[in-house]
Amino acid sequence: MSDIQVQLTRRAALLGAGAAAVGAGVVSSGAVHAAAEKQGPMAAPVARYNVGSFEVNTLLDGAVTVGEPQKTFGMNVDADTFAAKSSESFIPADTFKAFFTPTLVNTGSELVLFDTGVGEGGRPARGNMRAALESAGYTPEQVDVVVITHMHPDHIGGLMEGGAPAFPNARYVIAQKEYDFWAGMDPEANGVTKLMTKNVKPLADKMTFLDEGGSVAGGITAMAAYGHTPGHTLYMLENGGQQLLLAADLANHYVWSLARPDWEVRFDMDKEAAAATRKSVLGMLATDRIPFVGYHMPFPAVGYVATDGDGFRYVPASYQLSL
């Protein structure tokens, strides 16, 4: 490996020499300073940008580091193929970081929250959406509408706080197909149905049920994206000639789900349908150059999709949405 060359201007050299002299004077005076204590990781819990006149806030509910990623992603390919794609993308094949990102939209007339995070049971690593919401300058009492994209626990866990509705003044929206599927099961059948009984059913009298193309509010439209769950639903924001897709769990990893949309994901209930949906929606995003928010994308979770061979490539947003 070649040596790194560092060149100094004469001014920099003189300043360095002066600093050394000052430093020598400090040491000779006998003063001793302890090293500053490291502060540890720091997370920015909120990112804010605009879609037309809509103010959009992505809220970091939390992030966790997980081992053995191929037990979750790329389950239908061999380890060497998985490792090669990981290495090509500068990420390890033996561990990954999962992010959890609800989205808050201020339309100017309503404050709309999409998904609620893991909730109090996930703290301290997750379940921090309420704190992020307050960092954004809002309170839970100000939320007018809570939209649930699907019933997985990391999306409905924050509906309750301390045994009471976490957003006491809100109405709730969910796809009819998603609600009916889980509500029709034995409440003790699995973790989702148990949490639904605890967190969702008590709010049923305040719920609006949508189908494909249904409207949450002006400029917010439901888009069916089945496969991850039977009624998994995305939401398109449109305002002032701009669009943004809230893509929920369409793609759960920025490399393994985009570069290879046919790679199976453990949490996709119908893996074939989920892969077909992924290809279709990612193709639409790439063709139409529409930005999207992915619930599990690296925070702040907003970016673009570019075609890349027979797959896709994630392009994180920079300043496009703040111009």
Side-chain angles (χ1 to χ4, degrees), residues 14-37:
L14 289 172
L15 288 172
V22 172
V26 171
V27 172
S28 64
S29 72
V32 178
H33 299 281
E37 183 177 345

Side-chain angles (χ1 to χ4, degrees), residues 1 8 11 66 78 81 159 202 221 229 233 239 264 280-281 305:
M1 182 172 66
L8 296 177
R11 175 176 171 79
V66 184
D78 62 81
T81 299
L159 281 169
T221 305
T229 63
T233 301
N239 186 267
E264 292 182 356
S280 175
V281 176
V305 178

